[in-house]
């Protein structure tokens, strides 16, 4: 009965993966791996929660592939690895999806529709594509517990988030303030600094205008000259800022005079005269006429102020237009100096009715009209266009404004030093993220803008007294008479009032919800409903040993995790972070639906297989950089690596079935008894196992893959090629040598299957099960696991380690390359035997010398002293009659084996060989007939033509010849 299931050269990688998935389901392999290691030391992995209100793309595949490879590796290496899935369910991306579905836009229409109905649809939306996400995740081979996920909209999760905010409140780390923040007029909410970093777009066109502000107490022809790229803020101007210690000048040009910094005279048109110089401090407290007379603010305004922190001599005019409500530094300056602050633009990004010229216009649409009005009023010096980097909303792609509003903030700056400390303790992969992208971000940290004036999110748990303004932050559902089973979202939570403990008045909740990034950063404790339950479980699983997401999460999930763990526990949330790159197309453009350059992951799996997709992402080294991905990327993996491995595996199965090799009864001989080629193969394998384990322990999947690729190439191009004759039946291969070859190659293939199992779980499973007897007709070996994923990860066998044999074989292969180069120079084909090769260097071991001679096709090897400081090879190229006949015999053998393939004969089938030739070809047949019969598995060699399954007629060595084969 067959021990193995037949293997053909048609690998069926993609189709067979579906069969393996079903095998895993039927045999509960994933669940059994968890049970297998349940009492092992934990390796803690956190799943970064995706939002399932959109279809998964290839950019989701790369991070999930990296998560899976290290989780699988650690589990096989002896750890218990929990694989809890999670879903990020709150936030504007969900709201925008629902708005589009309802064909409504903006907060007004949401409230008209009904917040309760709107939020119900948001919750439903987060589950819309769960099935597609599950299908992609399973098809990728990413083992994840999708049946028991955490969800950020669950009451237990929200209650833990409330608890965390109460901890910050009690330590005065949560506060409200009137601040300028990045603001999306479309979404009508502010953004945090880390959200801001996700939406910058390069080469954004904007106006660049030089504006004249008429100085009071002058003849009406003297102006302060200021520069801005946001003309829409000019109706909100309240002050001009100068540097008190810089030199300013008044110049005459075209009947007017302009005041600007001396260092910025280059911005003027040609043809001016400097009239006087003064210090910036001399200009402080001067006043000027407002550009626009609508909505004049009450209080101090239209005055020159000293602001060295605001004024640069590298751009503009050295005089900065200040609109208090539309710039971070502007607002701080005006608040400090008591300058009037007022809005001329509403929350919707449109000018208020009080601005009669521009009422109802969006600020960006108003820019050209403002410029035209300034030109007509004679208040425009020059208008240009520039391109620069500008922030857009990462959720809806609307140009952001900087806008002053009341918000709630977390005082992250209070723990900046601890954040930097914990960041340094993390093993970042690649390492430069620590002090680069993440380190720079933390060095320039600002307080976290936590609140959002939206609807679908975790409600901010702060109540304010209507009568006395007393504030209270709650930290549990019980404090407001609810349970975690209740709906804690808007609008229901807004109906809950509390009695004011200060005055007895009514306290109502503030209308804000949380930045959804705070939700995702709370997952280490909120997924456990900590501290309300599972305290011991949380303590065992915090911090994570490993997380992984893409580069854009450095200032997203990576930051929110680190910030919250530092604020709450003074500890990092993760010990190691693998930062994967951004998937881009052939032209280097980020893949997106809007560009139409997205590759469907399921289509890639169906065409090339998930294994090929996974291996490409690992081996291409796409960490923290752009990774170009095309269909050819996956084709190359199949062609260059997977088919090479498959052909070795197919070769072994084919001959093992012919010879009845049974791993249950055939054991690997003692190392000392093995031929040198087998010792080399095992030593090479041991080295590869050692390298792969070290690289995987260092979270370096790329070098691990390269080591495996190198071994498989050596296994194919050196070991199997050199050992091929050892597997043939006949007298040429002694029984002991054949058993050694089988045992060695079987060991190498089973070990390789286990080695690649975390990387290529499907093909590894197919190879392992067949090699260990689970796919044949005979019963498998007792005690052998039925899945490669239930085996321990290979450990380097010290008895296989042999640095000397590795070194000597490397030397031999180098000398073979020199000898082949010498053949090329002498124009001597490799099938032409030569009398001798001379090695300039030390003699080789007899076994190695025999391999060297066979590789170079020489009859003997001579040795000579080293010349010119390095070893080399020279050849005796004289061709005798005997050598020529041997060459002709080799050519005949090659042709016969081509005929065997054309006749579709099995590798073990015997044939009748027919040859019709004369001259030297006939002499070669006579001289080498036994060898020719053995090489071609010919039972008989006939010197005649006859009926043949396949035949060939042509010229060999300049002489005519006909050959045919039949059974």
């Amino acid at each position: 009965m067959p021990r193995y299931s037949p293997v053909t050269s048609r690998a069926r990688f993609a189709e067979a993966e579906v069969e393996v998935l079903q095998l895993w389901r039927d045999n509960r392999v994933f669940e059994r791996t968890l049970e297998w290691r349940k009492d092992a030391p934990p390796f803690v992995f956190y799943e970064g929660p995706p939002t399932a209100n959109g279809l998964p793309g290839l950019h989701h595949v790369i991070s999930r592939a990296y998560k899976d490879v290290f989780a699988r590796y650690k589990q096989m290496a002896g750890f218990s690895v929990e694989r809890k899935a999670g879903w990020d369910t709150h936030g504007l991306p969900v709201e925008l999806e629902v708005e589009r579905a309802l064909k409504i836009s903006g907060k007004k229409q949401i409230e008209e529709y009904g917040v309760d109905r709107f939020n119900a649809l948001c919750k439903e939306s987060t589950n819309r594509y769960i099935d597609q996400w599950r299908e992609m995740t399973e098809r990728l081979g990413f083992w994840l517990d999708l049946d028991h996920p955490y969800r950020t909209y669950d009451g237990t999760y929200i209650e833990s988030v409330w608890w965390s905010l109460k901890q910050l409140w009690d330590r005065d780390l949560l506060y409200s303030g009137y601040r300028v923040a990045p603001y999306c007029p479309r979404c009508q909410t502010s953004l945090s600094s880390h959200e801001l970093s996700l939406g910058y777009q390069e080469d954004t066109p904007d106006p660049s205008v030089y504006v004249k502000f008429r100085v009071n107490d002058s003849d009406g022809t003297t102006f302060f000259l200021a520069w801005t790229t946001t003309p829409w803020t000019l109706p909100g101007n309240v002050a001009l800022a100068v540097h008190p210690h810089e030199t300013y000048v008044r110049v005459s040009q075209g009947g007017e005079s302009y005041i600007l910094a001396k260092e910025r005279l280059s911005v003027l048109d040609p043809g001016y005269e400097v009239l006087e110089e003064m210090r910036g401090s001399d200009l402080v407290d001067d006043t000027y006429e407002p550009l626009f007379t609508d909505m004049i603010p009450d209080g101090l305004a239209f005055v020159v102020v000293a602001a060295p922190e605001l004024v640069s001599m590298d751009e503009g005019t050295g005089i900065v237009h200040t609109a208090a409500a539309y710039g971070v530094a502007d607002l701080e300056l005006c608040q400090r100096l008591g300058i009037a602050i007022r809005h001329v633009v509403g929350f919707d990004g449109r000018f208020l009715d009080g601005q009669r010229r521009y009422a109802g216009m969006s600020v960006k649409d108003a820019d050209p009209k403002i410029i035209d009005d300034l030109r007509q009023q004679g208040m425009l010096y020059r208008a240009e266009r520039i391109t620069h980097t500008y922030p857009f909303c990462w959720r809806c792609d609307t140009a952001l404004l900087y806008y002053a509003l009341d918000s709630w903030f977390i005082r992250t700056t209070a723990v900046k030093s601890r954040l930097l400390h914990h960041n340094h303790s993390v093993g970042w992969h690649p390492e430069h993220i620590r002090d680069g992208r993440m380190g720079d971000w933390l060095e320039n940290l600002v307080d976290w803008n936590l609140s959002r004036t939206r609807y679908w999110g975790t409600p901010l748990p702060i109540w304010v007294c209507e009568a006395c303004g007393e504030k209270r932050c709650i930290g549990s559902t019980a404090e407001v008479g609810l349970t975690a089973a209740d709906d804690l979202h808007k609008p229901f939570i807004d109906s809950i009032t509390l009695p004011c403990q200060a005055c007895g008045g009514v306290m109502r909740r503030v209308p804000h919800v949380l930045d959804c990034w705070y939700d995702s950063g709370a997952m280490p404790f909120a997924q456990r409903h900590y501290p309300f339950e599972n305290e011991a479980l949380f303590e065992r699983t915090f911090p994570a040993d490993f997380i992984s997401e893409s580069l854009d999460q450095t200032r997203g999930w990576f930051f929110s995790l680190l910030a919250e763990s530092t604020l709450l526990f003074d500890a990092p949330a993760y010990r190691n972070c693998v930062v994967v790159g951004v998937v881009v197309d052939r032209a280097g453009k980020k893949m997106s639906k809007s560009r139409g350059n997205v590759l469907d992951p399921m289509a890639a799996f169906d065409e090339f297989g998930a294994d090929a997709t996974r291996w490409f992402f690992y081996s291409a080294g796409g960490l923290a950089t752009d990774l170009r991905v095309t269909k050819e990327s996956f084709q190359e993996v199949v062609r260059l690596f997977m088919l090479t491995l498959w052909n070795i595996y197919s070769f072994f199965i084919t001959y093992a079935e012919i010879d009845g090799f049974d791993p249950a009864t055939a054991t690997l001989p003692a190392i000392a008894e093995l031929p040198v080629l087998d010792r080399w193969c095992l030593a090479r394998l041991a080295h590869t196992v050692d390298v792969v384990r070290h690289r995987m322990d260092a979270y370096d999947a790329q070098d691990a893959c390269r080591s495996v690729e190198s071994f498989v190439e050596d296994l194919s191009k050196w070991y199997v090629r050199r050992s091929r004759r050892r597997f043939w039946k006949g007298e040429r291969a002694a029984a002991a040598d054949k058993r050694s070859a089988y045992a060695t190659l079987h060991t190498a293939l089973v070990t390789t299957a286990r080695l690649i199992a975390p990387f290529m779980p499907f093909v590894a499973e197919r190879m392992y099960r067949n090699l260990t007897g689970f796919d044949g007709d005979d019963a498998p070996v007792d005690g052998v696991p039925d899945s490669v994923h239930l085996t321990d990860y290979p450990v380097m066998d010290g008895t296989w380690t042999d640095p000397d044999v590795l070194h000597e074989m490397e030397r031999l292969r180098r000398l073979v390359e020199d000898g082949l180069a010498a053949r090329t120079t002498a124009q001597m084909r490799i099938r032409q035997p030569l009398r001798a090769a001379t090695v300039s260097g030390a003699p080789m071991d007899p076994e190695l010398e025999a391999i060297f001679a066979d590789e170079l096709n020489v009859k003997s090897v001579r040795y000579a002293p080293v010349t010119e400081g390095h070893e080399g090879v020279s050849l005796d190229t004289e061709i005798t009659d005997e050598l020529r006949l041997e060459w002709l015999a080799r050519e005949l053998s090659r042709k016969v084996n081509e005929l065997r393939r054309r006749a579709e004969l099995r590798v073990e089938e015997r044939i009748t060989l027919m040859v019709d030739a004369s001259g030297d070809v006939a002499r070669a047949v006579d001289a080498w007939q036994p060898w020719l019969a053995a090489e071609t598995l010919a039972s008989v060699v006939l010197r005649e033509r006859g009926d043949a399954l396949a035949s060939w007629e042509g010229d060999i060595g300049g002489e005519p010849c006909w050959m045919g084969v039949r059974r």
Side-chain angles (χ1 to χ4, degrees):
M1 300 291 285
R3 163 59 73 183
Y4 308 101
S5 177
V7 175
T8 69
S9 58
R10 185 172 176 269
R12 301 173 51 251
F13 291 125
E15 333 167 22
E17 287 177 353
V18 178
E19 298 166 7
V20 172
L21 284 172
Q22 191 59 51
L23 172 78
W24 289 344
R25 293 189 199 102
D26 293 344
N27 293 341
R28 296 182 60 254
V29 176
F30 172 43
E31 293 80 3
R32 287 164 58 207
T33 64
L34 298 177
E35 295 163 5
W36 172 44
R37 296 296 198 198
K38 66 180 180 180
D39 296 324
F43 175 81
V44 181
F45 154 68
Y46 290 163
E47 158 69 342
T51 303
N53 74 318
L55 290 170
L58 200 65
H59 57 292
H60 296 108
V61 170
I62 183 172
S63 59
R64 289 171 108 69
Y66 269 90
K67 294 172 190 178
D68 191 57
V69 72
F70 290 109
R72 283 180 180 272
Y73 165 70
K74 287 295 184 179
Q75 189 165 52
M76 290 181 71
F79 293 89
S80 173
V81 186
E82 183 187 27
R83 315 285 187 86
K84 190 176 184 67
W87 300 110
D88 194 0
T89 57
H90 286 147
L92 262 170
V94 182
E95 291 193 37
L96 294 178
E97 181 81 11
V98 173
E99 285 186 55
R100 284 190 287 268
L102 293 174
K103 295 182 171 55
I104 63 175
S105 179
K107 296 170 71 173
K108 181 180 178 182
Q109 291 185 332
I110 290 173
E111 291 175 5
E112 289 172 352
Y113 180 80
V115 174
D116 56 341
R117 295 168 63 201
F118 181 79
N119 274 357
L121 290 176
C122 286
K123 183 175 183 179
E124 180 184 316
S125 170
T126 62
N127 296 307
R128 181 168 302 153
Y129 299 107
I130 288 286
D131 288 345
Q132 288 90 335
W133 276 87
R134 177 186 285 270
E135 182 185 18
M136 182 275 281
T137 300
E138 291 181 349
R139 185 65 185 81
L140 175 66
F142 180 21
W143 276 350
L144 201 62
D145 183 1
L146 293 162
D147 295 326
H148 307 92
Y150 68 85
R151 296 171 299 195
T152 59
Y153 67 52
D154 285 339
T156 53
Y157 198 99
I158 291 173
E159 185 172 33
S160 290
V161 171
W162 283 358
W163 165 83
S164 70
L165 293 172
K166 181 63 161 58
Q167 306 309 301
L168 304 184
W169 176 270
D170 290 345
R171 292 162 53 202
D172 196 29
L173 294 174
L174 181 59
Y175 68 95
S176 62
Y178 188 70
R179 298 257 188 106
V180 169
Y183 180 85
C184 176
R186 158 63 183 82
C187 301
Q188 294 187 36
T189 190
S190 59
L191 287 79
S192 61
S193 55
H194 46 273
E195 287 179 299
L196 176 70
S197 70
L198 299 176
Y200 279 105
Q201 296 182 17
E202 296 181 356
D203 299 324
T204 302
D206 257 330
S208 167
V209 295
Y210 293 84
V211 182
K212 301 186 290 187
F213 293 82
R214 181 175 284 113
V215 178
N216 284 328
D217 301 326
S218 70
D219 59 3
T221 62
T222 301
F223 302 87
F224 293 113
L225 196 62
W227 170 74
T228 184
T229 59
T230 53
W232 67 267
T233 62
L234 290 169
N237 172 267
V238 290
L240 294 174
V242 297
H243 196 300
H245 308 306
E246 294 290 342
T247 300
Y248 286 75
V249 294
R250 183 168 68 89
V251 304
S252 174
Q253 186 179 61
E256 294 179 340
S257 60
Y258 308 117
I259 299 171
L260 71 162
K262 185 177 181 180
E263 282 192 33
R264 301 304 301 158
L265 282 169
S266 60
V267 304
L268 295 177
D269 296 332
Y272 60 84
E273 179 186 355
V274 176
L275 301 177
E276 61 176 315
E277 292 188 5
M278 71 285 292
R279 303 292 288 174
S281 56
D282 297 332
L283 301 173
V284 174
D285 294 333
D286 285 358
T287 61
Y288 58 92
E289 295 178 8
L291 293 175
F292 302 92
T293 55
D294 289 339
M295 299 182 70
I296 296 294
D298 296 329
L300 179 63
F302 312 118
V303 62
V304 178
V305 298
E309 74 282 1
L310 205 61
V311 180
S312 168
M313 293 297 140
D314 296 327
E315 61 181 5
T317 66
I319 298 178
V320 176
H321 139 66
T322 302
Y326 308 116
V328 176
D330 303 50
L331 180 62
E332 293 174 354
L333 174 69
C334 293
Q335 286 176 327
R336 187 173 75 247
L337 298 180
I339 295 172
I341 301 167
R342 56 85 162 84
H343 271 297
V344 296
V345 174
F347 290 128
D348 59 358
R350 298 178 179 275
F351 279 98
L352 298 172
D353 291 344
Q355 281 291 323
R356 290 170 294 176
R357 296 190 197 185
Y358 316 115
M361 293 184 69
S362 71
V363 294
K364 290 295 183 181
D365 289 343
D367 273 348
K369 182 168 175 49
I370 291 171
I371 293 171
D372 285 344
D373 287 348
L374 291 173
R375 183 180 289 111
Q376 292 174 18
Q377 292 169 208
M379 306 305 286
L380 182 70
Y381 182 81
R382 186 170 68 249
E384 302 167 338
R385 297 287 288 179
I386 63 167
T387 57
H388 60 166
T389 301
Y390 193 85
F392 287 73
C393 179
W394 67 279
R395 299 157 295 203
C396 71
D397 208 34
T398 299
L400 298 179
L401 313 179
Y402 280 84
Y403 195 91
L405 70 167
D406 288 307
S407 298
W408 288 85
F409 297 86
I410 296 176
R411 212 182 303 274
T412 43
T413 51
V415 294
K416 176 180 174 179
S417 62
R418 299 305 297 161
L419 277 166
L420 288 166
H421 171 78
H422 294 315
N423 175 52
H424 270 258
S425 74
V426 173
W428 287 99
H429 309 278
E431 189 177 6
H432 65 77
I433 297 294
R434 186 192 70 184
D435 297 320
R437 189 175 176 89
M438 180 59 93
D440 289 344
W441 175 253
L442 295 177
E443 287 288 356
N444 296 284
L445 189 69
V446 297
D447 284 350
W448 187 341
N449 184 350
L450 181 70
S451 58
R452 300 290 179 271
T453 51
R454 294 297 300 190
Y455 308 99
W456 178 240
T458 297
L460 185 63
I462 294 174
W463 273 253
V464 179
C465 179
E466 294 178 327
C468 70
E470 178 76 8
K471 298 181 181 68
R472 178 183 173 187
C473 179
I474 64 103
S476 69
T477 55
E479 292 179 59
V480 289
L482 298 173
T483 71
D486 293 311
D487 189 340
L488 304 179
H489 292 90
K490 291 172 71 72
F492 311 108
I493 192 66
D494 295 334
S495 65
I496 304 293
T497 61
L498 299 175
C500 178
Q501 297 173 348
C503 72
V506 175
M507 304 186 86
R508 298 191 184 277
R509 196 189 72 83
V510 298
H512 305 88
V513 296
L514 300 186
D515 176 5
C516 61
W517 289 105
Y518 191 90
D519 279 353
S520 59
M523 60 79 56
F525 57 90
Q527 67 171 331
R528 311 295 186 193
H529 195 206
Y530 176 88
F532 304 98
E533 55 181 320
N534 299 315
E535 288 189 55
L537 177 59
F538 166 68
E539 289 167 3
R540 285 200 310 272
T541 56
F542 177 84
D545 291 296
F546 160 69
I547 64 171
S548 179
E549 291 292 345
S550 64
L551 180 62
D552 56 6
Q553 294 297 323
T554 310
R555 296 165 184 177
W557 190 53
F558 299 158
F559 169 74
S560 63
L561 279 173
L562 186 66
E564 291 177 52
S565 65
T566 300
L567 286 159
L568 295 168
F569 308 108
D570 192 22
Y574 43 90
R575 295 188 175 98
N576 292 280
C577 181
V578 174
V579 185
V580 302
V582 177
V583 175
V584 298
D585 65 12
R586 191 188 305 274
K589 300 291 185 182
K590 185 175 180 180
M591 289 189 179
S592 67
K593 291 179 183 176
S594 61
R595 287 196 179 101
N597 62 350
V598 173
L599 289 178
D600 176 14
M602 297 303 291
F605 298 159
D606 289 344
E607 185 171 358
F608 308 107
D611 278 340
T613 308
R614 291 168 66 113
W615 191 269
F616 169 74
F617 284 139
Y618 308 138
S619 61
L623 293 189
T625 187
D626 289 351
L627 182 62
R628 292 176 191 263
V629 182
T630 64
K631 286 187 175 183
E632 291 78 13
S633 305
F634 310 130
Q635 286 173 339
E636 288 291 281
V637 170
V638 172
R639 184 175 65 85
L640 297 179
F641 175 63
M642 294 182 70
L643 284 176
T644 301
L645 177 60
W646 187 264
N647 288 337
I648 301 169
Y649 163 63
S650 174
F651 169 83
F652 173 84
I653 293 294
T654 299
Y655 283 97
E657 193 59 40
I658 291 169
D659 282 340
F661 174 78
D662 187 350
T665 58
T667 58
L668 191 68
I671 294 295
E673 299 173 8
L674 294 175
V676 67
L677 197 61
D678 296 346
R679 298 201 311 274
W680 170 83
C681 180
L682 295 175
R684 186 75 178 78
L685 178 61
H687 174 74
T688 302
V689 167
D690 191 45
V691 170
V692 170
R693 288 194 72 115
H694 275 92
R695 296 327 304 154
M696 290 298 285
D697 287 340
Y699 297 91
D700 183 355
Q702 182 185 27
D703 276 2
C705 285
R706 286 176 175 173
S707 183
V708 173
E709 287 173 343
S710 176
F711 172 71
V712 168
E713 185 174 11
D714 278 355
L715 193 62
S716 171
K717 294 182 178 179
W718 190 248
Y719 182 79
V720 172
R721 185 175 64 79
R722 287 294 323 154
S723 299
R724 189 174 293 272
R725 285 190 177 87
R726 302 168 68 195
F727 292 90
W728 294 354
K729 284 188 174 181
E731 297 178 1
R732 291 182 58 82
D737 186 54
K738 178 182 286 192
R739 285 196 300 272
S740 175
Y742 272 121
T744 300
L745 187 53
H746 181 267
T747 299
L749 284 169
V750 172
T751 304
T752 300
R754 292 164 56 205
L755 205 60
I756 65 171
F759 304 87
M760 288 181 160
F762 297 99
V763 74
E765 187 75 286
R766 293 173 69 192
M767 289 175 57
Y768 170 84
R769 283 181 58 85
N770 203 16
L771 288 165
T772 52
F774 284 93
D775 289 346
D777 292 339
D778 290 351
V781 180
D782 290 341
V784 175
D786 63 340
S787 170
V788 70
H789 305 291
L790 287 165
T791 66
D792 291 332
Y793 203 70
V795 177
M796 183 178 68
D797 189 325
T799 62
W800 298 353
T801 304
D802 193 335
D804 291 339
V805 80
L806 290 176
H807 174 75
E808 289 302 317
M809 192 68 79
E810 183 181 359
R811 177 194 177 221
L812 181 153
R813 294 176 72 181
R814 187 174 63 250
L815 290 171
V816 166
E817 288 179 6
D818 291 346
L820 292 174
R823 267 187 173 272
T824 301
T825 301
Q827 298 184 335
M828 285 289 173
R829 49 199 151 200
I830 190 61
R831 280 186 295 275
Q832 172 61 67
L834 298 177
R835 189 155 45 193
T838 301
V839 174
S840 300
M844 289 181 249
D845 175 90
E847 275 192 279
L848 295 173
E849 183 181 289
I851 294 172
F852 175 79
D854 192 53
E855 281 291 303
L856 288 187
N857 195 9
V858 297
K859 297 301 180 182
S860 65
V861 180
R862 303 165 184 161
Y863 295 94
V866 173
T867 58
E868 299 181 2
H870 59 83
E871 293 185 317
V873 177
S874 60
L875 302 172
D876 180 346
T877 58
E878 180 185 353
I879 307 299
T880 64
D881 181 66
E882 184 180 359
L883 293 174
R884 173 174 164 75
L885 293 180
E886 184 176 350
W887 166 69
L888 289 171
R890 288 173 180 267
E891 289 296 310
L892 289 166
S893 173
R894 181 173 65 86
K895 290 292 184 184
V896 173
N897 284 320
E898 288 176 4
L899 292 177
R900 289 181 62 94
R901 285 190 289 273
R902 282 174 47 196
E904 298 182 351
L905 296 166
R906 297 190 308 276
V907 293
E908 76 278 15
E909 274 193 275
R910 292 284 178 175
I911 63 169
T912 294
L913 172 61
M914 296 168 286
V915 181
D916 182 14
S918 60
D920 285 349
V921 176
R923 290 175 58 220
V925 174
D926 291 339
W928 290 88
Q929 183 169 316
W931 178 89
L932 190 60
E935 287 292 309
T936 61
L937 293 185
S939 300
V940 61
V941 179
L942 302 178
R943 299 291 300 278
E944 62 187 27
R945 297 187 184 222
D947 294 335
L949 295 172
S951 64
W952 172 87
E953 187 167 12
D955 180 276
I956 295 180
E959 299 188 40
C961 179
W962 178 92
M963 287 187 293
V965 298
R966 65 171 181 248
R967 289 188 174 89

